[in-house]
């Protein structure tokens, strides 16, 4: 590298943008992978990599594409309000979490099973409300 041609500010901006891209890609990848692992655990190993690798790969790709589609719709929805206006999308996502948590509490069998333990019922409903931001899930917490 020629010291006269090297611009440290431009280099740091490029490195920072690469860090952001790597962080975004690894977060989306790990979210898709964790949903896949959870669904495989719920199926008791039916889609294990040793017994059915193609089914597991299809499940992962399906989760990944569903997450990317939902994330893209959030981005397009936030562009509707103009640059820098993040409050409407934060309010929408918060409302979505609350609505799904309430619906989960009302219509799942968890509400019947957990009448005595309100704290556990609220915890399960909030976890399912958060997990349903990207995919339709029913997360069950076993003791």
């Amino acid at each position: 590298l020629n010291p006269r041609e090297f611009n440290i500010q431009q280099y740091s901006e490029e490195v920072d943008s690469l860090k952001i891209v790597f962080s975004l890609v690894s977060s989306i990848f790990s979210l898709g992978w964790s949903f896949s692992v959870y669904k495989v655990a719920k199926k008791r190993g039916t889609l294990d990599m040793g017994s059915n690798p193609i089914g597991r790969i299809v499940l992962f790709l399906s989760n990944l594409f569903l997450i990317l589609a939902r994330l893209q719709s959030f981005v397009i929805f936030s562009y509707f309000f103009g640059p820098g206006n993040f409050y409407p999308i934060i309010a929408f996502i918060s409302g979505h979490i609350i609505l799904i948590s309430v619906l989960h509490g009302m219509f799942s069998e968890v509400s019947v099973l957990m009448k005595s333990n309100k704290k556990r019922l609220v915890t399960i409903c909030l976890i399912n409300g958060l997990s349903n931001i990207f995919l339709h899930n029913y997360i069950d917490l076993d003791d």
Side-chain angles (χ1 to χ4, degrees), residues 67-112:
I67 290 168
L68 287 172
R70 182 69 66 98
L71 192 61
Q72 187 67 27
S73 67
F74 285 152
V75 169
I76 291 171
F77 181 66
S78 67
Y79 277 145
F80 176 75
F81 296 105
N85 293 326
F86 296 112
Y87 293 112
I89 192 71
I90 292 172
F92 177 78
I93 291 174
S94 299
H96 183 273
I97 292 169
I98 292 168
L99 176 69
I100 296 300
S101 297
V102 168
L103 289 174
H104 181 77
M106 289 171 49
F107 294 114
S108 71
E109 67 271 1
V110 140
S111 63
V112 175

Side-chain angles (χ1 to χ4, degrees), residues 1-111:
L1 291 173
N2 187 353
R4 292 181 208 153
E5 295 176 11
F6 183 72
N7 185 349
I8 189 70
Q9 186 164 355
Q10 181 183 4
Y11 176 75
S12 67
E13 288 173 1
E14 289 174 5
V15 168
D16 285 343
S17 63
L18 285 176
K19 286 180 188 177
I20 292 170
V21 168
F22 177 75
S23 174
L24 181 68
V25 168
S26 64
S27 295
I28 292 171
F29 183 85
S30 65
L31 185 63
W33 188 257
S34 66
F35 281 137
S36 298
V37 167
Y38 180 74
K39 288 182 181 182
V40 167
K42 293 295 282 183
K43 301 248 183 227
R44 296 191 174 106
T46 304
L47 295 171
D48 195 21
M49 285 297 275
S51 62
N52 190 359
I54 294 182
R56 177 74 174 265
I57 291 169
V58 168
L59 177 67
F60 169 69
L61 289 175
S62 169
N63 287 332
L64 189 67
F65 291 141
L66 286 169
I67 290 168
L68 287 172
R70 182 69 66 98
L71 192 61
Q72 187 67 27
S73 67
F74 285 152
V75 169
I76 291 171
F77 181 66
S78 67
Y79 277 145
F80 176 75
F81 296 105
N85 293 326
F86 296 112
Y87 293 112
I89 192 71
I90 292 172
F92 177 78
I93 291 174
S94 299
H96 183 273
I97 292 169
I98 292 168
L99 176 69
I100 296 300
S101 297
V102 168
L103 289 174
H104 181 77
M106 289 171 49
F107 294 114
S108 71
E109 67 271 1
V110 140
S111 63

